[in-house]
Amino acid sequence: MLASDYGPGALLAGDSREYRLGSVIAEGGEGIVYRIQGRDDVVAKLYKEWEYTRDAKLHGLIDVSNKRLRRVAAWPLSRLCDAEDKTVGFVMESLEGWQPLHSAYQIRSRLQHAPNRSWAYLVRIARNLATCVHHAHDHDLVIGDLNESNILVGPDAMVKIIDADSFQIRVENTLYPCKVGKPELLAPELQGQSLEGTERTADQDRFALAVLIFQTLVFGRHPFAGRPERDVDVPLEESIQRGWYVFTDRRQVPVAPPPHLDLDFLPPEIKELFERAFDPAEPVRPSAREWFGALKELEGTLGACDVNGSHVHWNGQRRCPWCSLEEKWNVTLFRPAPLDPLSAADFDVEEVWKRLVALPFPKVEDPPAPIDYKQLAPAELPGWQRWIVRPILARGVHSGFWVIYLSIVFGRELIRIGPAVQILLALAIVIFVVQCFFVERVRRRVRKANDRLESLWKEWTSKADAHVYEMRLSDLNTLRHGLLNNHKRYETAREERVRQLHRADLEHYLRKYSILAADSAQGRSKLSQLHDRGIETAADIVPENLKRVRDFESQLWNDLLVWRRALEDQFWHASTYALPPHEERSILEKIHREDVAMRRELLSAQEELVDLAVRLRERQNELRAQAEPFREQIRQYGPTLVAYEPTVKA
């Protein structure tokens, strides 16, 4: 029976249990991959055509299975047999959600599936691919059909090979060869040859491995694809067969590299491995173990661009190669990102912050506040003042002025009355003089002292209080968060720039929506009136037009603003605008300059805070010394004023 004879729900026998097919995941040239009901960890592959040799080959593959092989490949775990005990497929590990290798090295697909990954991600994929090939060869297996579609990459850059049932294996002196292969990945000696019955070698796998590593590191570029020196198209297979590696430094070839691309971003050790892998004169190609060692060493020499944190490259290059290529190709190679503040070797923002908050906080002191003299105990007055002056003041202070005024106006008549009135008039004058020249004098002194104390108190709270230190520490904490969230600052700046550049597109979009379609509780009639006044579409809902609708209810305009904002959000959410590389660099350079300034400020903050604490303490002592004479003056005169205060309200 063929794979097409089965479908979801079909029950097949495994080596130790039964498996029921679920929905189809994928379909290839040789078979169909199904989910297995009740199992998320494994899937089933059913062959489209039956072959009598498959049963023995699968037995052999399952027999050599071990932890190392299952770690690098979706290894056959169990045969699947029909009712007649014929092998129709096998069970293997589920790798659903993993992406084919070409989705990682092709720029556009990588930016879609792994948008925040750098070149270090590609180097790690290449290294893990070398690991997979090494383990296969170490078990005397030949992969044969090693290509970018049957190599899957996980989200953590782990790599596994699928279609392990096509590997070449020898079982009990019987060779089961790999019968397929992509021409662009076949070694020169296999070009143009029939693969049916051909015994493949590990050295031929090494050629395919070198091509795939090259494509992974060089953004999908094939090492034998270039520009012919003559205006004659050269097939890729011919270039491979003749050994025309376009980036070779060893020999002359009639094919030149593509424009604006060289391999200077690779260390000499990696370039030499490519030369050995693609030079027909070399007796043996580099092994997977050699590639693993060179790529591991390359990982240890990676560094970030001074401007774009996502531009990770070999630090043997002074200038960032990705900035240069993006400028020449006008293509974004890696999604731009500001430098990670935690990755700088000479600066750890959290460590700097720990040192700042560990500094001794200035002692909280009470400022020299004004004194409420009314709370002071009244002074003890001499007997005659206590028994005569104070009661007189208490009764006469409010009438003293009127007594004098009336004495002046009716003075002649009062004098005629007699000596008693004259004595009373003199007494009133005395009361008034006492009020003016004694009580008021004391009060002015107390008030003036308190005014000065209040001035010193304000200066203390603004320039000498511990909260000044606290506010500065808060400002530094804002810088800290700005550095830690520089990706958000970049995204915000980038979004603003995108909206600036595509403002006209937004206006065009808004003009498609008539104001009559707006959602407003004010009713369609009022919308029609606005439409008649020239406010016809969502693009017309702008502040400049507000004066044209002043006679309408404000709620109507608010409803329209909400409607327009919803349309704007809808437009930007659905848009896929990208900034040109030079715009991206401009934003990144701005963020980088801001980050540098923030780092400098934080690095110098420890000395600044220590100095600030000293200056605050010194200023507090100065202000306290300035305040003491005024406090003493209030303590001296305040009780006397309180003694007379029942008659003199401040």
Side-chain angles (χ1 to χ4, degrees), residues 1 34 77 124 138 168 171 198 234 257 267 279 294 373 412 480 525 544 567:
M1 296 182 73
Y34 292 87
L77 304 175
R124 175 57 62 91
D138 202 39
Q168 176 177 288
V171 180
T198 300
V234 179
D279 189 346
Y373 66 88
R412 185 174 300 175
R480 165 182 167 247
S525 62
E544 305 89 79
L567 291 175

Side-chain angles (χ1 to χ4, degrees), residues 317-366:
Q317 284 238 301
R318 292 183 178 180
R319 186 169 184 259
C320 173
W322 313 142
C323 286
S324 177
L325 281 179
E326 286 185 342
E327 185 175 347
K328 292 173 181 176
W329 293 354
N330 196 30
V331 168
T332 299
L333 297 177
F334 302 96
R335 185 181 181 186
L339 293 175
D340 183 355
L342 299 179
S343 66
D346 60 340
F347 183 84
D348 185 337
V349 63
E350 293 293 42
E351 186 61 34
V352 170
W353 180 249
K354 287 179 183 178
R355 292 199 298 268
L356 294 181
V357 296
L359 294 174
F361 199 86
K363 185 179 179 182
V364 178
E365 300 279 359
D366 292 331

Side-chain angles (χ1 to χ4, degrees), residues 285-299:
R285 299 178 178 102
S287 68
R289 180 183 288 275
E290 287 183 87
W291 278 111
F292 174 85
L295 291 166
K296 183 178 180 180
E297 185 176 345
L298 172 58
E299 281 188 311

Side-chain angles (χ1 to χ4, degrees), residues 356 359 469 476 601-615:
L356 294 181
L359 294 174
Y469 185 96
L476 294 171
E601 192 168 348
L602 283 173
L603 286 172
S604 62
Q606 184 171 355
E607 183 178 350
E608 175 195 350
L609 289 176
V610 171
D611 181 63
L612 177 59
V614 172
R615 287 189 288 108

Side-chain angles (χ1 to χ4, degrees), residues 61 63 95 121 143 150 192 214 247 267-268 306-307 336 378 430 441 560 563:
L61 290 170
D63 287 343
L95 297 176
Y121 171 69
I143 299 171
N150 64 14
F214 188 96
F247 294 93
D306 290 337
V307 175
V430 169
R441 182 183 177 191
L560 293 175
W563 175 61

